[in-house]
């Protein structure tokens, strides 16, 4: 096991074991006994595809070692299987049925983002620790707390629930997942570059919480995890292992900080907006990783605009003069979100980070004064946008808005929503305050 994973496990609140290697499934019995010493049985939760990919194998190993289990296959409703709340109810009642006859049951999710999130929430509701056997490197959410589920009202949201107690990532299985799923995961991991810049920016400007350990968990292995996109695409053992480890570390950082800050910056807001608007492309919802990959390229270009501006010459008084009073801003927040399922979201999230004119003067003067050092820190964190594009193209990921059925215009317009939807300062907040956000966003491509 790598040092980074070992360290992450020491600081994890819920996860006790994480095995990432070729043939990891053969360790499932040992992990099961170590992590769930009082459990006698398991319930395997999969969909038809993930059952074929890994479920059969898990079943064989458990059977050969005398561990009893039942299985529950979540059938696909439509063409794509989504994390709808009805599946959480289905899985929860399947687990409950087994509970009534057997004490000490362990739910084992066999799948990727959707099966994991559904099982995570269902198990959390029942206060049962669970295990996941990953079948694709498509998301960083395996090791995170919380589950991203579409509520009965139709809104995708993060429900609070513990991370898995044990994670098994069998690289032989994961490498055989559909190639586009690997590209999604690569896009999600690549986002930790601009997301890290957002975190630095916020912290240096004294807004938002810093968590040193979570920072190191997600960032220390990142260059290596992302450094060989050809190897990731081709399933090279070392490159692929580091990449999967990178995804897990992103989740562990979130678990440690109990916040998605370490793994999510402005780029994730664009994905949340598309989800909120039920955006589809060619009749299908677009995966999280594809949306995030496109937004990562966008934000990398956006950062290049920031870095090319000399903020030591910023006209602070002009920015203060153009800045609204809260009443005006509150009205704007309500306008932006009025036709969504979350009409109050903008007001709730924007108010805590809103600056009065006096506070803004102080805030921007600080930015002006520390700009030379801040610029160096941001430059060190970021990769050139051309490199971001090159890597996304190598893994076969989406790069441009058109690749996911949106447009440059829509991306630019969405910055206004993005900057009002989370109380988490990022590059958009900074340029919103310097009156540059709109102009930068409109000249990205
Ligand atoms: Zn993500």
């Amino acid at each position: 096991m790598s040092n980074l994973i070992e360290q992450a496990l020491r600081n994890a609140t819920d996860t006790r074991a994480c095995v990432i290697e070729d043939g990891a499934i053969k360790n499932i019995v040992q992990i099961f006994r170590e992590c769930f010493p009082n459990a006698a049985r398991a319930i395997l939760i999969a969909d038809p595809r993930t059952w074929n990919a890994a479920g059969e194998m898990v079943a064989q190993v458990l059977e050969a070692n005398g561990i009893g289990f039942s299985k529950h296959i979540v059938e696909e409703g439509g063409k794509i299987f989504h994390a709808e709340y009805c599946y959480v109810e289905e899985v929860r009642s399947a687990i409950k049925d087994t509970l009534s006859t057997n004490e000490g049951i362990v739910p084992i999710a066999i799948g990727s983002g959707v099966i994991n999130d559904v099982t995570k929430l269902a198990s959390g509701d029942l206060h049962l620790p669970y295990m996941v056997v990953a079948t694709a490197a498509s998301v960083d959410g395996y090791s995170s707390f919380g589950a991203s589920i579409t509520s009965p009202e139709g809104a995708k949201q993060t429900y609070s629930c513990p991370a898995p107690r044990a994670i098994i990532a069998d690289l032989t299985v994961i490498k055989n997942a559909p190639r586009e799923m690997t590209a999604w995961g690569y896009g999600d991991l690549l986002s930790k570059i601009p997301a890290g810049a957002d975190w630095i920016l916020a912290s240096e400007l004294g807004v938002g919480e810093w968590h040193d350990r979570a920072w190191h968990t997600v960032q220390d292995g990142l260059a290596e995890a992302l450094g060989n996109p050809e190897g990731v695409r081709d399933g090279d053992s070392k490159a692929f292992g580091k990449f999967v480890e990178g995804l897990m570390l992103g989740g562990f950082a979130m678990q440690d900080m109990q916040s998605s800050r370490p793994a999510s910056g402005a780029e994730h807001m664009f994905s949340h907006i598309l989800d909120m608007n039920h955006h589809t492309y060619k009749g299908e919802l677009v995966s999280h990783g594809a949306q995030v990959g496109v937004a990562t390229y966008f934000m990398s270009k956006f950062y290049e605009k920031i870095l090319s501006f000399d903020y030591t010459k910023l006209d602070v008084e002009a920015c203060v003069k153009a800045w609204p009073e809260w009443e005006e801003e509150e009205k704007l927040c309500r306008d932006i979100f009025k036709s969504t399922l979350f009409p109050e979201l903008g007001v709730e999230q924007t108010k805590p980070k809103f600056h009065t004119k006096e506070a803004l003067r102080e805030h921007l003067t600080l930015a002006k004064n520390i700009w030379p050092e801040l610029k160096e820190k941001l430059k060190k964190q970021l990769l050139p946008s051309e490199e971001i594009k090159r890597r996304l193209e190598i893994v076969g990921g989406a790069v441009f808005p058109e690749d996911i059925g949106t447009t440059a215009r829509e991306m630019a317009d969405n910055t206004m929503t993005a900057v009002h939807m989370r109380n988490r300062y990022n590059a958009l907040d900074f340029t919103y305050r310097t009156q540059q956000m709109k102009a930068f966003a409109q000249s990205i491509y």
Side-chain angles (χ1 to χ4, degrees), residues 140 188 192 263 268 288 292:
D140 62 11
D188 204 12
K192 281 35 167 183
H268 268 71
H288 174 75
V292 168

Side-chain angles (χ1 to χ4, degrees), residues 27 45 87 169 204 252 259 277 296 357 380 413 422 442:
N27 297 313
I45 295 139
Y87 294 118
E204 294 295 316
F252 277 123
S259 157
N277 296 338
T296 294
K357 281 184 186 268
K380 197 169 154 241
D413 289 349
R422 280 284 186 289
Q442 284 171 345

